[in-house]
Amino acid sequence: MQATVRLSDAGILAEEARLEARLLAQHALGFTREQLITRSHTPIDNTQIEPLLARRLAREPLAYIIGERAFYGLDFYVTPAVLIPRPETELLVEIALEYFAEMLPSVSDTSLPPCPPVIGGSEDGSGEGALADIGTGSGCIAVTLAKHLPEVQVFATDISTDALAVAQKNAERHSTVVTFLQGDLLAPLRDGQRLSAIVSNPPYIARTEIDTLAPEVLGEPHTALFDIETDGLGFYRRLATEAPDKLQENGLLAVEVGHGQAESVAALFTTSGFAEVAILPDLAGIGRVVRGIWRSWPKTASDEEAESL
């Protein structure tokens, strides 16, 4: 109770403070929730909890203190090297799963039954059974998709080697196969590689908004938070223009967007030639994911003439 009050006094909402006090106690003592409840009337050695509580009172993110965060029913290892997985990002996973369920129903099964050998795709990562998560961070998107789509080849890129080390641990933790590649956005993918889907939760906060962010958010890696351009759309511009060279016919590009960005990102997709561009809302009704389907550019007379030569 005392920990809850102290957290609340530090500016953490009362309901969240109660949950966080329990999670800190569980982590410090090595208890499950049930064990903590059954020992509720037993004196607890606060010296084990106090160092963790002090870190949270300093507004260090809870996920970094306890070292993990739940995402789409899985627990992910996190460190200050990666963005903390958030519930709204689960919508991006759902959109990708729906796409594969429609395109390759035989390889998409979210109930995770035993699966037959790989079908679709090739050793170089091309074909119907391949996807890439761009800016993977903790790997929560890539690993979750690999878990639910065991026959699909999953690639994940990130510019940070420290982030990729965390993502690799999460892939191993959940017994999934993901090919991690270090580099900027799509650059690490092989030349000529064609994927059936590209998903991304890129940095989209404009640096002009830095003063509006909570201390916890500012404690996350800035390269994973802030866009390279002042309007927050820089990475979306690059993805919209670069993704067509990596997508096969009818390939999916789906991205998470920040509050108020959906219409602008959708316009970027349309300008780049994507079809069936749509904005998908999260549970709060906020446009959270923009997705488009890549159709190859219509052939011109000169194109057809060149092909006949």
Side-chain angles (χ1 to χ4, degrees):
M1 181 64 71
Q2 184 182 15
T4 300
V5 172
R6 292 170 66 188
L7 289 169
S8 182
D9 289 344
I12 297 168
L13 295 176
E15 186 172 336
E16 294 179 3
R18 285 191 293 272
L19 173 61
E20 293 192 5
R22 174 175 64 78
L23 292 174
L24 286 170
Q26 285 179 213
H27 183 71
L29 301 172
F31 288 172
T32 64
R33 181 179 182 180
E34 291 72 21
Q35 288 173 326
L36 192 65
I37 292 173
T38 58
R39 291 166 170 79
S40 60
H41 299 295
T42 303
I44 293 176
D45 183 2
N46 286 329
T47 59
Q48 294 175 273
I49 302 174
E50 189 60 34
L52 302 185
L53 181 60
R55 291 169 62 185
R56 187 65 188 104
L57 291 172
R59 305 300 291 271
E60 180 179 350
L62 177 69
Y64 292 157
I65 298 171
I66 64 177
E68 66 178 25
R69 172 61 64 88
F71 180 83
Y72 213 82
L74 301 172
D75 289 328
F76 283 86
Y77 166 65
V78 295
T79 75
V82 300
L83 194 72
I84 297 168
R86 288 164 166 78
E88 52 266 34
T89 305
E90 294 181 357
L91 177 60
L92 186 58
V93 170
E94 291 172 1
I95 297 304
L97 291 176
E98 289 174 4
Y99 169 79
F100 277 97
E102 294 175 2
M103 186 186 74
L104 294 173
S106 62
V107 304
S108 180
D109 191 340
T110 57
S111 62
L112 305 182
C115 294
V118 172
I119 63 171
S122 63
E123 291 183 359
D124 64 5
S126 299
E128 293 182 318
L131 68 87
D133 171 29
I134 307 302
T136 194
S138 68
C140 63
I141 296 171
V143 171
T144 300
L145 290 173
K147 190 75 172 175
H148 287 271
L149 301 168
E151 296 182 5
V152 172
Q153 294 173 302
V154 178
F155 298 85
T157 74
D158 203 287
I159 199 168
S160 167
T161 54
D162 290 338
L164 289 173
V166 173
Q168 182 63 55
K169 287 185 178 181
N170 282 318
E172 294 168 357
R173 182 182 221 184
H174 295 295
S175 302
T176 56
V177 178
V178 178
T179 300
F180 293 104
L181 304 168
Q182 193 274 331
D184 185 33
L185 292 186
L186 302 172
L189 299 172
R190 187 181 61 81
D191 289 343
Q193 185 173 13
R194 292 285 177 171
L195 305 163
S196 53
I198 293 173
V199 296
S200 181
N201 178 21
Y204 54 68
I205 301 175
R207 290 188 179 274
T208 54
E209 298 178 25
I210 191 168
D211 292 336
T212 68
L213 302 177
E216 289 85 350
V217 176
L218 290 174
E220 298 183 67
H222 286 198
T223 55
L225 289 171
F226 296 107
D227 185 31
I228 52 179
E229 297 183 16
T230 56
D231 63 359
L233 302 177
F235 286 106
Y236 299 117
R237 290 190 180 93
R238 289 187 56 191
L239 288 169
T241 56
E242 296 174 18
D245 287 337
K246 297 297 183 183
L247 285 171
Q248 64 184 28
E249 185 81 8
N250 299 318
L252 170 75
L253 174 61
V255 296
E256 179 176 332
V257 298
H259 190 279
Q261 293 179 322
E263 294 288 347
S264 296
V265 175
L268 290 172
F269 278 29
T270 300
T271 300
S272 292
F274 283 88
E276 300 179 33
V277 176
I279 298 171
L280 294 309
D282 59 20
L283 293 176
I286 297 169
R288 184 60 60 186
V289 170
V290 176
R291 70 114 170 102
I293 301 297
W294 176 247
R295 320 277 194 213
S296 57
W297 291 106
K299 292 182 180 179
T300 64
S302 59
D303 292 331
E304 294 176 352
E305 180 180 353
E307 288 181 0
S308 66
L309 295 178

